[in-house]
Structure formats: structure tokens, C-alpha cells
């Protein structure tokens, strides 16, 4: 099934939040032809938008980062769940796309993603059924998922027996960190699981995976020590697996990398093991970046690498000042249904009224300190000059923290140029 047959040929229409209610459905190409200008108020707010120039910068930046280190990129597709953005990443040289679930991976495969890295355990019968069906539909597809327990291998083999499954799944052994996410904790566990995978008639051990992102602190010494310890463990089990003949292929995959301290794991993804190694970085948030949490992390990356410039925030949420009920408080037309708030509240960054249409930076005393379902509480200094007060009806754009939990609140996003003219659009498939 081709990607074009996966949805209506005119996927953008008034069923989508922020799309003009009287407008007939449009194709992606037709969206750009409408001449919509957000600073002119052509689309209703709230609206999440992507800055085209920042997207292009980030694609180039990460492509060059990986090329300079001889590693591959399989960015985490769960961040955006956007086929259009995945295709941009693949066109910029990504080896594949990572996912968190079989459902997400199936969306990727049916939109043309050739290599799926499911950076999670697969154990449910329904998910194994779906993955087997996906490969039956697409014989050229390559996928792999994570294993971190012999009990998981037992469950997969029991499913295969019940289903009379004749194929074999590629898997990566996952090493974890105590107190953190999934992954085996000890060297002995890792040896037992690797040996069990190698002996399985249903699985093939393709490599080793780990995830360091939850440990990031922006303390250079602490972060480096944590990553070095983790990657030392990866290196040790990889060498033992080679010596024991547990790997199924000549090329070994070593994969790691969130979006916070990926530069540190990148240093250790292509060790000299006497066999070909494909180091695979999985950073997902790099494409849109953000204005808060990951911006702070990338400042630390820039310090470690002595870079003048790293990634640029590409995702903003525009809202309207819809009420000014008392001095010091304005209510914006966006809330928990529109913008992520799991790590930090939105950060007001610019304002624009319909009279001049030019964005200007918001006063430093503006802040959002609470969200309801449909409202954001914008606080400001009531003693400030009146021209620094929010104006009823004006547009206020906010930066976000952690793009994953803003993307899942939208089924489409306009892509805009630096003058906020709509030049493209993307869909999301959550």
C-alpha cells in the first residue's frame, strides 16, 4: 500500500483544529497556495506552527554532526508522528526511523520508512501479530526491537509456536541503568539474555542498545562519567558476544542517544571490535528542538564541543489575548489541550497586533504561570508602562519545552516562513 493511499487525498480540512471552517479540504500542495498570513489573522488561534528555516537548519546540523563522526541516524519518530517530517529526515540522510511501539512502526512502514528501530520491548501477542503481518506485507522491510529478559524470549517463542510462525525477528539486547528505564541491569543478565537470543529459533541478535537521556544533568563531569560507565558496559558485552558468536550478522549495530547528551554517546558508538559496527543515534527532538529544556541541554552540548551555534527552536504555539479581566492578568486562547506542559510551562516569546503585523519580543516581565484546558494565565507587571501590557485581540507566540507533548495535541501543523506566511503543512498520526 502506497503512502498516498493511507489517507484522504485532501487531508487538510475543517475537521482539523485551526483550519478555516468554511474552507474546502485541501491537499498539502494546495495549503501553500492559499497565501495565509498568520500575522494578519488568516487562521484561528491557537495554532501550533513550524518554522521552515529552523527545520532546515536542524536537518543540516544533525546530518553534519553524524557524518563527521561516521555514525548513522535513526531519529525517534514518536516525537512528531509526522510522515512528512520523517520523509524530510530520510531525505537528509537518516538511515531509518525509531519508534516506541509496533503501532507507530506500522504507521512508519506504511508511509515508506524502510528501516524501523522499535526502541522498546515487544512482548504482547497482538503486537507480535502486527509485526509479523507488517513483514508479510513488505518483504524488503527491516525492523528490530529490544529484548531485556529471558522471559521475554520465552513469551515470543510461545507465541511463535502457537501461531506456527516461521520467520525470525531481529532484536537488540538492551542494557539499562539502575533506577531508570528498561534494560538489563547486570553483566551476568546481559550474558544470559544474549546467549538465549542466539539460541532462539525465532530471534536474531543484531546488536546492543541503551538509553542515557534520563540521566542528563548539564553537569559536564557527571554526565560524562554516567555515559562512560554505560558505554563501557556496551563495549564489554559486545566483545563477549563476538567471542561467543552470538551476533547473527557481520555488521553489529550499537545504538544509543536521546536528545540531551547525545554528543557523549556518539563518541562511543563506533568502537574497534574487529568487525564492522554501525553506530546508530536515535535523537528525536533535534528536528524541532524547543525554547526551554532541550535548549538548555544544547547549550551544554555547545560548551563541550566549542560550538558557536547548535540547534534552533522550530515549534511555536500562537494564541490570542482573549480577555484582560484585571491589571496584571491576561488570558490567552490556548491551554492544556493545545500545548505541552509536562516539563515546563510555555514561554511567551513574541507579540504582534493586527495593525503593524510585525512580531516584537514580549516584555521580560511577562510569564505564563498556569494552564486550564483552554486558557493560559499570562501574568505581567501592572506597574509597567501601558504599552507593555497585553492588548486584547493581539497574537502572542509561546515557545515550548519538550516537543513530544505538544505534537500529540495537533493533527496538522502549518509550516511558515520567517514572515509567518504558510508555505507548507504536515500531518500527525497519533
Amino acid at each position: 500500500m502506497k503512502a498516498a493511499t493511507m489517507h484522504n487525498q485532501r487531508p487538510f480540512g475543517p475537521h482539523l483544529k485551526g483550519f478555516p471552517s468554511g474552507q474546502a479540504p485541501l491537499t498539502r500542495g494546495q495549503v501553500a497556495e492559499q497565501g495565509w498570513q498568520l500575522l494578519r489573522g488568516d487562521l484561528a488561534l491557537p495554532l501550533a506552527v513550524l518554522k521552515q528555516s529552523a527545520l532546515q537548519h536542524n536537518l543540516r546540523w544533525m546530518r553534519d554532526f553524524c557524518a563527521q563522526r561516521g555514525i548513522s541516524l535513526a531519529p525517534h519518530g514518536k516525537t512528531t508522528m509526522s510522515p512528512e517530517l520523517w520523509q524530510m529526515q530520510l531525505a537528509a540522510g537518516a538511515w531509518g526511523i525509531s519508534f516506541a511501539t509496533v503501532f507507530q512502526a506500522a504507521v512508519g512502514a506504511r508511509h515508506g520508512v524502510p528501516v524501523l528501530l522499535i526502541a522498546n520491548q515487544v512482548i504482547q501477542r497482538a503486537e507480535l501479530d502486527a509485526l509479523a503481518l507488517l513483514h508479510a506485507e513488505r518483504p524488503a522491510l527491516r525492523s528490530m526491537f529490544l529484548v531485556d529478559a529471558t522471559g521475554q524470549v520465552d513469551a515470543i517463542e510461545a507465541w511463535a509456536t502457537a501461531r506456527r510462525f516461521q520467520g525470525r525477528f531481529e532484536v537488540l539486547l538492551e542494557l539499562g541503568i539502575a533506577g531508570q528505564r528498561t534494560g538489563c541491569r547486570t553483566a551476568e543478565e546481559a550474558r544470559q539474555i544474549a546467549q538465549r537470543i542466539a539460541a532462539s529459533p525465532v530471534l536474531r541478535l543484531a546488536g546492543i542498545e541503551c538509553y542515557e537521556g534520563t540521566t542528563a544533568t548539564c553537569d559536564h563531569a557527571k554526565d560524562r562519567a554516567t555515559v562512560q560507565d554505560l558505554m563501557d558496559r556496551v563495549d564489554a558485552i559486545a566483545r563477549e558476544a563476538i567471542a561467543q558468536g552470538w551476533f547473527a550478522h557481520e555488521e553489529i549495530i550499537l545504538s544509543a542517544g536521546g536528545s540531551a547528551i547525545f554528543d557523549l554517546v556518539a563518541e562511543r558508538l563506533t568502537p574497534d571490535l574487529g568487525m564492522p559496527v554501525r553506530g546508530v543515534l536515535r535523537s528525536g527532538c533535534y528536528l524541532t528542538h524547543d525554547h526551554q529544556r532541550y535548549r538548555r541541554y544544547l547549550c551544554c552540548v555547545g560548551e563541550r564541543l566549542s560550538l558557536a551555534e547548535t540547534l534552533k527552536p522550530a515549534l511555536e504555539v500562537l494564541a490570542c489575548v482573549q480577555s484582560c479581566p484585571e491589571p496584571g492578568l491576561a488570558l490567552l486562547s490556548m491551554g492544556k489541550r493545545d500545548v505541552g506542559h509536562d516539563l515546563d510551562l510555555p514561554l511567551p516569546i513574541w507579540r504582534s497586533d493586527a495593525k503593524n503585523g510585525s512580531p516584537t519580543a514580549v516584555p521580560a516581565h511577562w510569564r505564563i504561570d498556569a494552564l486550564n484546558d483552554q486558557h493560559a494565565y499570562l501574568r505581567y507587571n501592572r506597574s509597567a508602562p501601558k504599552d507593555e501590557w497585553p492588548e486584547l485581540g493581539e497574537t502572542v507566540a509561546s515557545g515550548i519545552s519538550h516537543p513530544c507533548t505538544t505534537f500529540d495535541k495537533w493533527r496538522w501543523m502549518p509550516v511558515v516562513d520567517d514572515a509567518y506566511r504558510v508555505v507548507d503543512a504536515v500531518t500527525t498520526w497519533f
Side-chain angles (χ1 to χ4, degrees), residues 211-234:
Y211 174 65
E212 79 300 330
T214 54
T215 67
T217 65
C218 271
D219 179 318
H220 296 321
K222 186 179 294 186
D223 288 342
R224 185 172 290 279
T226 299
V227 168
Q228 294 289 51
D229 178 68
L230 179 61
M231 299 309 292
D232 283 348
R233 292 170 54 208
V234 169

Side-chain angles (χ1 to χ4, degrees), residues 296-334:
R296 292 194 288 273
Y297 287 140
L298 263 291
C299 285
C300 295
V301 172
E303 289 174 6
R304 286 192 291 269
L305 300 179
S306 300
L307 300 176
E309 183 177 58
T310 58
L311 300 171
K312 296 182 179 181
L315 176 58
E316 300 174 359
V317 180
L318 279 55
C320 172
V321 178
Q322 65 179 42
S323 178
C324 298
E326 62 189 58
L329 173 64
L331 280 301
L332 305 182
S333 63
M334 70 173 184

Side-chain angles (χ1 to χ4, degrees), residues 238-268:
R239 293 179 187 280
E240 183 165 0
I242 290 170
Q244 299 294 333
W246 292 335
F247 287 121
H249 308 301
E250 182 178 348
E251 180 183 75
I252 301 166
I253 293 172
L254 299 183
S255 178
S259 298
I261 49 177
F262 57 86
D263 60 309
L264 297 177
V265 294
E267 297 174 0
R268 300 289 302 274

Side-chain angles (χ1 to χ4, degrees), residues 41-91:
D42 289 347
L43 298 180
L45 305 181
L47 192 62
V49 304
L50 298 170
K51 298 288 291 295
Q52 185 183 56
S53 59
L55 289 176
Q56 293 173 343
H57 168 85
N58 295 344
L59 286 166
R60 290 191 299 268
W61 191 94
M62 186 58 82
R63 178 200 64 200
D64 294 345
F65 176 90
C66 291
Q68 290 162 8
R69 290 158 179 79
I71 58 178
S72 297
L73 179 65
H76 228 314
K78 72 178 176 64
T79 299
T80 68
M81 282 305 294
S82 173
E84 295 85 2
L85 295 177
W86 299 335
Q87 289 302 322
M88 290 182 194
Q89 292 171 305
L90 291 168

Side-chain angles (χ1 to χ4, degrees), residues 1 18 29 83 160 177 265 269 274 304:
M1 186 183 304
I177 299 172
V265 294
L269 284 179
R304 286 192 291 269

Side-chain angles (χ1 to χ4, degrees), residues 279-295:
V280 179
L281 195 67
R282 300 193 311 277
S283 308
C285 296
Y286 82 91
L287 180 59
T288 63
H289 198 40
D290 70 17
H291 284 83
Q292 299 193 73
R293 186 62 58 97
Y294 286 110
R295 192 173 202 170

